[in-house]
């Protein structure tokens, strides 16, 4: 295992080095939180694909393939569909808003007062998303070093917190590009063909497994519908995803770069399902489907290649974890703490704002590590995160983008009723039940429409300013100098 250990250690050291290098570039709030809004199509596509394809998409995607066969691709497939929909229909408008958070968008559209409550819901989502990724370190480091779960979480989490705190979005962008390349090589180019060959090829796989493993809809129509509601719509409104859209240097980059990333997700989804199906042939009696990825890597791959594929798994986890962490810290600082203090943005305070956001990343990172140690069930934590996001924020966000008659009262009522309905229904039906997101989303929609129609329309001055921002004719909230490229 010495060669494998060396590959992993070099990879982790490289992540820290990227963080240090990114720190030299992150001199303004814009640089620190959204990479100066200057990413071109190549870096934008790579980093967007990296953040949406995390531990759940890699380890969980292979696990679903092990359990259901090719139809296990649907979870990651719906993530790719959501990213495609966001990129084609909404990303250009989102990028032109020149904001930092989803809650700032809601304030612009509805004329203020929507920020804190929506910020709390978004903060809860991003925190739980970061926690689920951090828990996944335990699985990978257990395979590598037979490491205690708590130590593994602290080690992996500390590295992500370190490079994210140092350079903010610039560090995360640089590390995500490396992680994208490592994932592509490790999972698509190495593990996928090797797994199929070890299983005897597709003909042997079909001979040894039930026909349901090769049915595209074998996982069940209701499950697919739930995945669309949670993940496809979740991609449209998550702070972690929007914050990457904010990094694009223009409309075309946001649209076409995101389209490339979404298409990549579709290929990654199928690859994970095929790897899981091959693992079912090789190891038909594993205790848990989620063990399929680690088992096939540990037992079937040669020395060196095994280390690279495990680095790919780490890359998947770290990219999602760091993206969720900076999103969580941005929301906590800009949407909750600053508003509760009554803070007003002023030009010329860039250095202080960078320090403040850096401190919040460190603080939220410690909270994520502590929560990850306390929790065990990744699926439940991820379900809570997406149910809250979709049930509480989907309607007021898409309503604000698509329906002129929506009002701030309708948006606030929708967030409150949708979020509380989801929490109450999860307590009644169970966290993993489908009903909470179904009924929570319906309640949110009904309240949004009813309250908006029952209250005065949004002031025309607010709507005019909103249209100016959507058209890209209005400057962002703080005028910031564009730093000279180094």
């Amino acid at each position: 295992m010495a060669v494998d250990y060396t590959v992993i250690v070099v990879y982790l050291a490289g992540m820290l080095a990227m963080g240090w290098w990114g720190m030299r570039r992150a001199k303004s709030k814009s640089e620190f939180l959204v990479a100066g809004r200057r990413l071109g199509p190549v870096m934008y596509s790579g980093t967007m694909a990296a953040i949406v394809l995390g531990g759940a998409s890699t380890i969980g995607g292979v696990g679903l393939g092990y359990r259901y066969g090719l139809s296990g691709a649907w979870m990651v497939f719906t993530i790719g569909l959501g990213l495609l929909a966001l990129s084609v229909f909404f990303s250009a408008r989102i990028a032109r808003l020149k904001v930092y958070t989803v809650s700032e968008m809601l304030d612009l559209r509805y004329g203020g007062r929507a920020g804190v409550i929506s910020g709390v819901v978004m903060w809860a989502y991003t925190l739980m998303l970061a926690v689920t990724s951090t828990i996944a370190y335990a699985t990978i480091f257990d395979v590598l070093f037979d490491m205690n779960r708590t130590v593994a979480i602290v080690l992996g989490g500390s590295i992500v917190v370190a490079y994210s705190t140092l350079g903010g979005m610039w560090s995360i962008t640089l590390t995500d590009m490396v992680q994208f390349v490592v994932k592509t090589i490790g999972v698509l180019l190495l593990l996928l063909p090797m797994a199929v060959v070890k299983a005897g090829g597709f003909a042997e796989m079909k001979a040894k497994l039930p026909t349901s493993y090769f049915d595209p809809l074998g996982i069940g129509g209701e499950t697919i519908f739930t995945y669309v509601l949670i993940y496809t719509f979740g991609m449209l409104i998550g702070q972690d995803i929007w914050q990457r859209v904010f990094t694009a240097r223009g409309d075309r980059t946001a649209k076409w770069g995101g389209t490339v990333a979404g298409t990549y997700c579709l290929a990654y989804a199928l690859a994970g399902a095929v790897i899981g199906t091959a693992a079912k042939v090789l190891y038909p009696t594993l205790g848990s489907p989620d063990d399929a990825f680690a088992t096939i890597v540990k037992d079937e791959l040669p020395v060196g290649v095994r280390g690279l594929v495990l680095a790919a798994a780490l890359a998947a986890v770290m990219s999602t974890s760091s993206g969720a962490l900076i999103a969580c810290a941005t929301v906590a600082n800009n949407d909750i703490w600053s508003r509760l203090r009554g803070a007003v943005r002023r030009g010329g305070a860039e250095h202080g704002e960078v320090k403040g956001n850096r401190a919040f990343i460190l603080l939220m990172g410690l909270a994520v590590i502590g929560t990850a140690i306390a929790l065990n069930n990744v699926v439940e934590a991820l379900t809570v995160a997406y149910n809250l996001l979709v049930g509480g924020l989907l309607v007021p966000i898409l309503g604000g983008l698509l329906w002129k008659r929506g009002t701030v009262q309708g948006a606030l009522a929708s967030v409150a009723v949708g979020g509380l309905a989801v929490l109450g229904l999860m307590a009644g039906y169970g966290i993993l039940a489908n009903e909470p997101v179904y009924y929570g989303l319906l309640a949110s929609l009904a309240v949004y429409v009813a309250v908006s129609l029952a209250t005065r329309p949004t002031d025309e001055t607010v709507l005019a300013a909103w249209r100016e921002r959507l058209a890209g004719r209005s400057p962002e909230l703080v005028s910031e100098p564009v730093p000279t490229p180094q």
Side-chain angles (χ1 to χ4, degrees):
M1 293 288 289
V3 175
D4 296 327
Y5 293 161
T6 301
V7 171
I8 298 297
V9 170
V10 169
Y11 169 77
L12 294 176
M15 295 300 97
L16 291 174
M18 291 288 185
W20 183 262
W21 190 82
M23 183 175 66
R24 298 174 59 245
R25 301 198 62 155
K27 303 299 184 183
S28 70
K29 180 180 179 180
S30 177
E31 292 283 322
F32 191 81
L33 293 182
V34 290
R37 308 186 195 273
R38 292 189 296 158
L39 295 192
V42 174
M43 291 193 74
Y44 179 84
S45 298
T47 58
M48 183 62 87
I51 188 176
V52 299
L53 296 173
S57 300
T58 303
I59 298 171
V62 171
L64 287 171
Y66 182 89
R67 185 175 179 183
Y68 297 106
L70 297 186
S71 66
W74 272 105
M75 183 186 78
V76 183
F77 200 83
T78 55
I79 291 174
L81 290 178
L83 185 53
L84 284 171
L86 174 72
S87 302
V88 172
F89 298 113
F90 298 108
S91 63
R93 283 186 284 176
I94 292 170
R96 287 196 294 265
L97 288 174
K98 294 291 189 290
V99 295
Y100 292 103
T101 68
V102 174
S103 294
E104 288 181 2
M105 167 264 168
L106 292 174
D107 277 351
L108 281 170
R109 166 60 182 81
Y110 295 111
R113 294 185 292 164
V116 174
I117 186 171
S118 61
V120 169
V121 175
M122 189 64 77
W123 173 80
Y125 156 72
T126 53
L127 178 72
M128 295 306 290
L129 186 62
V131 166
T132 58
S133 301
T134 304
I135 291 173
Y137 295 129
T139 301
I140 300 169
F141 282 113
D142 178 59
V143 174
L144 280 170
F145 307 116
D146 192 24
M147 188 178 289
N148 174 271
R149 177 181 181 278
T150 299
V151 175
I153 289 172
V154 171
L155 175 60
S158 297
I159 292 171
V160 170
V161 172
Y163 73 69
S164 301
T165 302
L166 285 172
M169 187 59 82
W170 264 124
S171 293
I172 292 171
T173 296
L174 296 170
T175 55
D176 276 1
M177 275 305 298
V178 174
Q179 289 158 356
F180 171 74
V181 172
V182 171
K183 275 194 290 193
T184 301
I185 295 173
V187 175
L188 296 183
L189 301 184
L190 294 177
L191 181 57
L192 174 61
M194 288 184 178
V196 172
V197 169
K198 291 286 186 178
F202 285 104
E204 187 71 13
M205 290 162 65
K206 286 185 176 180
K208 290 186 175 181
L209 294 174
T211 55
S212 62
Y213 267 69
F214 301 92
D215 180 358
L217 303 178
I219 199 170
E222 185 179 355
T223 300
I224 295 171
F225 180 68
T226 303
Y227 284 159
V228 170
L229 274 185
I230 293 177
Y231 298 115
T232 300
F233 286 117
M235 287 294 107
L236 298 180
I237 58 175
Q239 169 68 25
D240 52 323
I241 309 302
W242 277 41
Q243 199 157 343
R244 293 310 172 98
V245 175
F246 300 152
T247 66
R249 72 182 177 198
D251 296 359
R252 290 179 60 83
T253 296
K255 183 176 182 178
W256 297 112
T259 301
V260 170
T263 305
Y264 178 89
C265 291
L266 304 184
Y268 200 88
L270 184 59
V274 171
I275 293 167
T277 304
K280 183 67 176 179
V281 173
L282 295 168
Y283 311 99
T285 58
L286 286 179
S288 168
D290 286 341
D291 293 336
F293 180 89
T295 303
I296 196 170
V297 169
K298 189 174 183 180
D299 294 348
E300 302 297 335
L301 298 186
V303 172
V305 173
R306 179 172 49 206
L308 184 58
V309 173
L310 287 171
L314 272 176
V317 174
M318 285 184 165
S319 57
T320 300
S321 181
S322 59
L325 176 59
I326 193 171
C328 179
T330 303
V331 170
N333 188 18
N334 289 264
D335 293 338
I336 301 175
W337 176 245
S338 293
R339 294 169 191 263
L340 292 177
R341 290 171 52 212
V344 178
R345 286 198 188 95
R346 296 181 177 88
E350 287 299 302
H351 182 66
E353 291 199 57
V354 170
K355 288 178 64 177
N357 282 291
R358 184 172 281 138
F360 265 87
I361 290 179
L362 179 59
L363 181 63
M364 292 299 105
L366 295 175
V368 165
I369 292 171
T371 307
I373 292 171
L375 293 180
N376 285 312
N377 195 313
V378 177
V379 176
E380 288 190 358
L382 192 64
T383 302
V384 170
Y386 273 97
N387 280 356
L388 274 174
L389 177 70
V390 173
L393 291 178
L394 177 67
V395 170
I397 291 173
L398 293 189
L401 289 169
L402 301 173
W403 191 40
K404 178 182 176 180
R405 187 61 181 81
T407 66
V408 65
Q409 294 87 351
L412 289 171
S414 177
V415 173
V417 170
L420 291 174
V422 164
L423 290 174
L425 290 166
M426 282 193 294
Y429 285 99
I431 290 176
L432 298 180
N434 293 329
E435 288 83 359
V437 72
Y438 293 168
Y439 299 143
L441 193 54
L442 286 174
S444 178
L445 177 60
V447 169
Y448 179 73
V449 173
V451 175
S452 291
L453 292 175
T455 53
R456 294 180 61 183
T458 304
D459 188 273
E460 186 56 38
T461 305
V462 173
L463 290 177
W466 166 253
R467 288 191 291 268
E468 287 291 301
R469 292 295 285 267
L470 277 180
R473 293 192 293 266
S474 180
E476 60 185 292
L477 296 180
V478 177
S479 178
E480 297 175 359
V482 177
T484 303
Q486 297 180 14

